[in-house]
Amino acid sequence: MVKYDRLRLWLVSLPRRYKRLIQVAADVVLVWIALWMAFVVRLGIEEAINPFTTHLWIFVTAPLIAIPLFIRFGMYRAVMRYFGNDALVTIIKAVSLSSLILGVAVYWYSNHQVVIPRSIVFNYWWLSLIMVGGLRLAMRQYFLGDWFAGIQNVPFTNRDDGLPKVAIYGAGAAGNQLVAALRMGKVMRPVAFIDDDASITDRTISGLQVFKSKHIQRMVDMTGAQEILLAIPSATRARRREILSYLEGFPLHVRSVPGFMDLASGRVKVDDIQEVDIADLLGRDAVPAQDDLIERCIKGQSVMVTGAGGSIGSELCRQILKSQPTTLLLFEHSEFNLYTILSELEQTISRSSLPVRVLPILGSIRNQAQLLDVMKTWSVDTVYHAAAYKHVPMVEHNIAEGVLNNVIGTLNTAQSALQAGVANFVLISTDKAVRPTNIMGSTKRLAEMTLQALSQELAPVLFGDSDKVSQVNKTRFTMVRFGNVLGSSGSVIPLFHKQIKAGGPLTVTHPKITRYFMTIPEAAQLVIQAGSMGQGGDVFVLDMGEPVRIAELAEKMIHLSGLSVRSEKNPHGDIAIEFTGLRPGEKLYEELLIGDNVVATRHPMIMSAAEDHLPWETLKERLHRLLAAVAGDDYGRVRQLLRETVSGYTPDGEIVDWIYQQRRLDP
């Protein structure tokens, strides 16, 4: 076996020209053998024992015709380890053409010299196909170092190489590509297919038996599979959810290959195995976007995204880029986040040759002068305001920053847009703004109320304007409210993945806590479409589906990792779930609407809510008092002002701001 590996590695390491010479020499020998066998098949071994004496010319002519054609068809450019169906087609074309030309030569020569049976040419054709193509297939397996790949169901050929055994769910194109990639990579050993298509079950594909989904346990017993890889990129999320729910009952780690869009974009490859997408557990398929809504505020316009490096902001930038604005301004206070999204967008522009100018701008939404300068300089048409502090416990411990960033930052951005004559302003809001129990939610609701108040004013005197000069309002302000997004910073899903890898436990705040979830791409797409609707002052609410119980989500993630939940009923389980108690400001249940006044829009996933708000002059007076309380670190007063201003705000528990707590300890 050691000599076998050394020879293979030596051949692989040879310079390319030496490899080609070996291939050419082998093909010359194969052509001679095929030609000699053609005589044997036609004349018998006795008469064809030595055709060189009478037909030497044809043994000289055959390789002189074949080898140049093989070179012309690129047969010596193919890499043996990656030899595939396209190479076989090329061999068929080259061999067929060389046989045809040889047949013409035989016909011409037979009319002048010794007669050669014309069936010799036909025999030579099919024998050459078998030998030339067969040698290359054999060498592919040789260079892969796995002579038994694809024949493990043949008796006496099974062997244990120590690789994890995996079953592939889906025997279609993606499944077969995955099998080839796994065999080549030698990280896992595919042992079976699972498929719901009754026409192929119990058959063999790529050397693997295809099992019905209801026979998974039998498959595990027969093959010893330890994992299941989902290779069903075209399946709907609802179907994937059904499959995952069924697979939960087996002690198998379930992972998946990427979807078609990720494959087509080039971001991932077929063999990029990943953990099961939690969006598949939700089982909700995205509604196709309405192109006119997507492009209305973007195509051919100058667009600005605040918080462009965040989870929602960065996805907004990706979606906006597809609609080809003239200019895309990335406004972000984190240098690293700005660099990351800029690099990604520049690669997309270069790859797709998009006529879009992307400009990264380091700045803070607390700096109104800079915001106004940016919007005027680049004549911004549309602003998507995604910059905000959104981590509930973090903002609860840092009240002043939450108010200054979420309320005053939004006020600065909105007033700059109004002064710069921006046509469209879209605020990304949250379900935590509905009857909030925390500072984050109440500040986001106050941000909504600021835009609602501004949208009602034709010529408002802006907040902080000592000259009291009215500004003409040409800006259409809209707000889009939705729940948690999967995979965002601070999301529970990446935390659960990390805790499972560490062996647990999984930490959940409360057994009954629920949350709404949506994927980041779907949320961003709906935000853009919602921002194109309405007349101004509209609060749009996204259809988030049914709320998900976090404890149940944790259980599913444990099961789909091939592990069991440790509990009182199952003390020998693998990973425990611990309940840590609600954190400051957290609610058991989130809501999307303050009242019941909601109407449908032209998009089935977007609703419009009629929410109460204060007049602009009244709101300005409240904002002055709120800023004074923040400046004086009077957080009790901050809470009281938020209670008076934000409908339904009922803070839960004591004030936990770090400065407030320290001053109570050291008066």
Side-chain angles (χ1 to χ4, degrees), residues 295 297-306 308 316-331 342 345 349 354-361 373-384 422:
E295 296 179 350
C297 299
I298 298 174
K299 191 172 182 65
Q301 301 180 44
S302 178
V303 180
M304 176 176 172
V305 179
T306 67
L316 279 170
C317 292
R318 296 183 193 101
Q319 302 275 355
I320 289 167
L321 197 62
K322 295 176 184 177
S323 295
Q324 298 187 16
T326 56
T327 305
L328 176 56
L329 302 170
L330 315 177
F331 195 88
L342 174 65
L345 296 180
I349 290 172
L354 297 175
V356 182
R357 178 175 57 168
V358 176
L359 302 173
I361 299 174
D373 189 33
V374 169
M375 293 182 195
K376 281 186 173 179
T377 301
W378 280 282
S379 303
V380 173
D381 298 295
T382 302
V383 172
Y384 292 96
V422 172

Side-chain angles (χ1 to χ4, degrees), residues 462-652:
L462 300 183
F463 179 82
D465 185 356
S466 57
D467 296 332
K468 297 186 177 181
V469 177
S470 298
Q471 299 285 335
V472 177
N473 186 0
K474 298 179 180 179
T475 306
R476 182 174 61 89
F477 294 100
T478 56
M479 295 132 274
V480 186
R481 187 188 291 164
F482 55 92
N484 298 276
V485 288
L486 296 170
S488 66
S489 57
S491 171
V492 71
I493 307 304
L495 175 63
F496 283 169
H497 277 306
K498 185 177 180 180
Q499 290 174 337
I500 289 172
K501 287 182 179 178
L506 269 61
T507 53
V508 180
T509 55
H510 193 280
K512 294 183 179 179
I513 192 168
T514 64
R515 288 293 180 265
Y516 290 99
F517 284 104
M518 178 179 283
T519 65
I520 295 177
E522 182 183 10
Q525 198 176 77
L526 289 173
V527 163
I528 293 172
Q529 293 175 91
S532 299
M533 297 189 289
Q535 302 302 313
D538 306 85
V539 178
F540 292 106
V541 180
L542 304 187
D543 181 357
M544 301 290 295
E546 295 298 320
V548 176
R549 193 164 68 89
I550 304 301
E552 186 178 313
L553 188 62
E555 291 177 6
K556 285 181 178 291
M557 291 183 66
I558 292 172
H559 290 150
L560 293 172
S561 296
L563 305 170
S564 59
V565 179
R566 188 188 312 146
S567 62
E568 292 182 1
K569 294 181 179 179
N570 183 24
H572 302 294
D574 300 302
I575 294 182
I577 297 176
E578 290 185 359
F579 297 102
T580 59
L582 291 175
R583 296 173 297 179
E586 273 194 324
K587 296 167 69 175
L588 273 180
Y589 313 104
E590 299 290 2
E591 304 169 88
L592 288 167
L593 295 170
I594 296 175
D596 297 324
N597 301 322
V598 60
V599 294
T601 68
R602 57 175 287 190
H603 196 291
M605 303 292 287
I606 303 173
M607 299 171 288
S608 178
E611 307 283 28
D612 295 333
H613 61 278
L614 298 173
W616 174 238
E617 292 301 322
T618 304
L619 186 65
K620 282 199 300 181
E621 189 269 332
R622 298 276 177 92
L623 291 175
H624 278 296
R625 288 157 55 190
L626 183 64
L627 272 180
V630 169
D633 294 329
D634 187 351
Y635 299 121
R637 179 63 175 156
V638 169
R639 266 196 173 187
Q640 182 58 37
L641 287 168
L642 288 174
R643 273 199 197 99
E644 294 173 3
T645 308
V646 176
S647 175
Y649 174 48
T650 51
D652 185 22

Side-chain angles (χ1 to χ4, degrees), residues 238-250 280-281 556 560:
R239 177 58 187 147
R240 292 171 78 92
R241 182 183 185 182
E242 290 178 13
I243 293 171
L244 291 172
S245 298
Y246 177 67
L247 294 178
E248 262 191 271
F250 300 94
D280 294 335
L281 294 178
K556 285 181 178 291
L560 293 172

Side-chain angles (χ1 to χ4, degrees), residues 30-102:
L30 288 176
V31 166
W32 283 339
I33 294 173
L35 194 53
W36 181 77
M37 287 295 296
F39 277 96
V40 171
V41 170
R42 173 64 178 83
L43 303 175
I45 191 67
E46 293 82 5
E47 293 188 33
I49 194 67
N50 189 10
F52 296 96
T53 56
T54 54
H55 304 299
L56 179 61
W57 73 271
I58 197 172
F59 283 89
V60 175
T61 306
L64 290 177
I65 294 173
I67 299 304
L69 285 172
F70 291 177
I71 294 172
R72 182 65 183 84
F73 276 85
M75 286 171 54
Y76 302 115
R77 292 197 298 268
V79 180
M80 286 297 179
R81 283 166 289 171
Y82 307 111
F83 188 82
N85 293 337
D86 53 342
L88 282 176
V89 172
T90 300
I91 289 173
I92 293 172
K93 291 178 180 178
V95 170
S96 298
L97 185 56
S98 67
S99 300
L100 182 63
I101 295 174
L102 184 64

Side-chain angles (χ1 to χ4, degrees), residues 8-19 22:
R8 177 167 53 86
L9 294 174
W10 177 75
L11 287 171
V12 169
S13 64
L14 284 175
R16 187 67 186 150
R17 62 180 180 275
Y18 293 157
K19 292 177 183 177
I22 293 172

Side-chain angles (χ1 to χ4, degrees), residues 201-216:
T201 52
D202 297 325
R203 295 191 178 186
T204 299
I205 296 178
S206 295
L208 304 178
Q209 184 175 345
V210 183
F211 291 84
K212 294 180 180 178
S213 56
K214 64 181 180 181
H215 294 154
I216 289 180

